[in-house]
Amino acid sequence: MELTSLALLATSAVVTAAALAGLVLLWRRLRGPFVVVRVGGILLAEILLLASIGLTVNRAGDFYPSWASLLGEATPVRLPTADPVRLPPQLAAQASAGRTNGLVFPWHPAGERDWRLAGSPVAYLPPESFQAGGVAVPAIVVVSTAAPPVDTVIRGLAKAAGEPVALVIVRIGRTTPIPVLATGLSHALPTSLPVLGHGWALIGSGVAALSLWQAGQQRFVALALTPPPDATTVHKAQAAVRTRLWIGPDLLGALRWAGTQTPPPLEPPVALTPISSPSTRSGRS
């Protein structure tokens, strides 16, 4: 029976109440040679009352969930582990090249046709993404109406952001539905590439970039606008984004700033020393 179980607490309360009731009923009879029994009954009632109070406090605070934890004995439990980050087959086949200089490649996510882009997105993964065991790296999404630069330039842009980081360059068109694009990126990026599922940075210009940030706030945490948009868009961005907003003239500056806003890479956790198993309310009886 766990120390925090309701059954133990109820039993303690009933025994305490019975001891107090018995002491009250027999008080007048416990005289003379029986006065020692009276004193013992008082001590027993006090001990039971203190034990009931202690069990109540322990249940509320969950300090000692089991007798083993009270006695200082550790109860081994199996700690949760995470599966290693796995590359899609087409990227795994190029792992040897990726481990050297990173990899730039056309990214064809599921639902890309519904985004109605001006061209397929281009992605860059750093060498850390191709290590054994896998590393989930932060992501920076760059939206633009221009064609993506060549591979060597993209690698240079990634270095400006401070590797390891994944770059995803999205070329939007006049008919690109921003809410659909935001939803698509939110689902496709963390499921098809070894990137973190949160803490993304977004770089772009004008209303489209601000709208994409607003539609994907569950993923994006920072917005860089370059080149600086009109005053109305700037005012709207300042009201919507508040602290994590950068406005400047060049892409390199935006990338350097965005790299400081993203979280660090994450490796799969490892199980360490077993710890005491905590109690759960649902398991009490």
Side-chain angles (χ1 to χ4, degrees), residues 15-239:
V15 172
T16 302
L20 289 172
L23 187 61
V24 171
L25 292 174
L26 299 175
W27 184 262
R28 293 184 179 180
R29 298 182 183 181
L30 299 176
R31 296 178 179 178
F34 297 104
V35 73
V36 178
V37 180
R38 178 191 291 184
V39 174
I42 294 173
L43 292 175
L44 178 62
E46 289 179 346
I47 292 172
L48 290 173
L49 183 60
L50 289 174
S52 297
I53 294 173
L55 288 172
T56 303
V57 173
N58 184 61
R59 176 179 170 82
D62 206 13
F63 300 113
Y64 297 99
S66 65
W67 291 100
S69 61
L70 179 64
L71 298 174
E73 300 173 2
T75 303
V77 295
R78 185 180 296 275
L79 296 179
T81 57
D83 294 332
V85 177
R86 298 190 182 280
L87 293 171
Q90 62 272 24
L91 294 182
Q94 305 177 69
S96 57
R99 276 193 288 271
T100 304
N101 297 311
L103 192 66
V104 179
F105 55 94
W107 181 45
H108 299 290
E112 176 189 356
R113 185 174 299 178
D114 297 332
W115 302 356
R116 299 206 295 273
L117 301 175
S120 293
V122 174
Y124 166 80
L125 290 177
E128 288 79 0
S129 297
F130 300 92
Q131 294 176 358
V135 176
V137 296
I140 298 178
V141 178
V142 180
V143 292
S144 173
T145 56
V150 296
D151 294 5
T152 53
V153 173
I154 292 177
R155 289 191 176 92
L157 294 176
K159 290 181 179 179
E163 291 191 292
V165 67
L167 287 184
V168 179
I169 302 175
V170 180
R171 186 183 182 188
I172 58 175
R174 294 182 178 179
T175 61
T176 300
I178 298 299
V180 175
L181 175 60
T183 302
L185 286 172
S186 177
H187 288 87
L189 190 51
T191 56
S192 64
L193 298 180
V195 301
L196 295 174
H198 63 283
W200 302 350
L202 175 64
I203 298 176
S205 176
V207 179
L210 177 59
S211 299
L212 182 58
W213 188 90
Q214 291 174 315
Q217 286 189 48
Q218 72 277 18
R219 303 287 189 184
F220 295 114
V221 296
L223 172 64
L225 296 177
T226 182
D230 59 87
T232 302
T233 304
V234 169
H235 179 72
K236 290 180 179 179
Q238 290 172 338

